[in-house]
Amino acid sequence: MIDIEILLAWGAVYKPASAEEIIFQEGNPCNFYYQLIEGSIRWVNIDESGKEFIQIMVQPNEPFGILPLFDNEPYAATAITNTDSLLLRLHQSTFLQMLKEHPEIHVKFSTHLAGMVRNRFSILKAIALNNPEHTISYLLQNFKEKNQHICPKCQQLKLTRQQIAGMTGLRVETVIRTMRQMHHKGLIKIKHGKVYLFS
């Protein structure tokens, strides 16, 4: 999202992370701006039983955990790597100074942040309707429009049913059953267990 060379010039450092490594935990104070360079990260809330509700699946070049950078509140969710990953990390005070000295970056960053908040409202609205097919259809359409989690060449969904369940609050069995119904209706294609969207 922010040019890597600019971040490095301001003192950002690379941080490798192993699969299933916790980058930061819900409730902890925020000290750094993070941007994913390689790999995959999920930003989750975890209930007492250990069940994860996925807020965001972070893709390369995206920032994550950014709200506390501005309001000095603790992290609202936990960031966990899905795979071996590489991050860039810049101290919070330096990050805020960089935004002050580069208003063009600040504007782009604020636009990105507003888009994230708007997207969460839309997803929560779809979930609140309590219709699994509508919720999953909305989520898949949203991914397609934003070119996220879908192979641009073959239109294969790059998320598991478990991850879709974690993003929607649905049981994984409900996601499996609903996607099978969507396949029979011709809304999606399932081949050898893989889910494909139509162009």
Side-chain angles (χ1 to χ4, degrees):
M1 222 285 291
I2 297 176
D3 186 89
I4 292 173
E5 296 304 319
I6 293 175
L7 290 171
L8 291 172
W10 277 83
V13 295
Y14 286 104
K15 182 183 184 303
S18 303
E20 295 302 313
E21 184 175 329
I22 294 174
I23 306 303
F24 53 75
Q25 286 187 298
E26 180 178 354
N28 284 358
C30 171
N31 296 311
F32 298 98
Y33 165 82
Y34 288 98
Q35 187 164 304
L36 182 61
I37 305 303
E38 296 172 3
S40 173
I41 290 176
R42 64 191 186 275
W43 200 28
V44 301
N45 293 111
I46 305 171
D47 69 14
E48 290 143 6
S49 69
K51 182 180 177 184
E52 294 182 0
F53 181 79
I54 301 173
Q55 295 287 355
I56 297 171
M57 291 288 285
V58 185
Q59 299 188 110
N61 300 318
E62 289 183 340
F64 59 97
I66 54 182
L67 294 179
L69 291 168
F70 298 99
D71 65 8
N72 289 315
E73 294 292 322
Y75 284 115
T78 298
I80 308 171
T81 55
N82 296 313
T83 61
D84 290 348
S85 301
L86 182 64
L87 324 169
L88 261 182
R89 187 171 84 170
L90 180 63
H91 198 277
Q92 177 189 20
S93 59
T94 308
F95 172 77
L96 294 175
Q97 187 61 38
M98 180 189 70
L99 292 185
K100 286 179 185 175
E101 295 189 24
H102 292 276
E104 72 284 0
I105 295 175
H106 200 314
V107 170
K108 284 171 114 178
F109 196 82
S110 298
T111 302
H112 174 78
L113 187 57
M116 283 178 56
V117 172
R118 182 178 296 277
N119 190 43
R120 289 310 301 166
F121 272 114
S122 299
I123 290 171
L124 288 172
K125 179 181 175 183
I127 291 170
L129 293 175
N130 206 23
N131 178 321
E133 184 177 311
H134 177 81
T135 300
I136 293 170
S137 293
Y138 176 84
L139 200 64
L140 297 180
Q141 185 61 35
N142 189 270
F143 292 155
K144 189 171 180 179
E145 288 173 3
K146 297 186 181 311
N147 198 26
Q148 294 178 328
H149 313 302
I150 295 171
C151 173
K153 290 183 180 177
C154 67
Q155 296 296 297
Q156 180 188 337
L157 179 65
K158 296 193 270 188
L159 298 176
T160 66
R161 272 84 158 171
Q162 183 67 56
Q163 289 170 327
I164 294 292
M167 295 174 110
T168 58
L170 297 168
R171 291 167 47 91
V172 69
E173 296 83 4
T174 303
V175 171
I176 292 168
R177 184 177 63 253
T178 303
M179 291 186 116
R180 195 177 302 124
Q181 292 168 350
M182 291 170 68
H183 168 74
H184 292 311
K185 290 180 179 180
L187 301 174
I188 59 174
K189 180 180 177 182
I190 299 177
K191 185 176 180 182
H192 304 301
K194 299 186 187 324
V195 177
Y196 297 85
L197 278 63
F198 292 108
S199 304

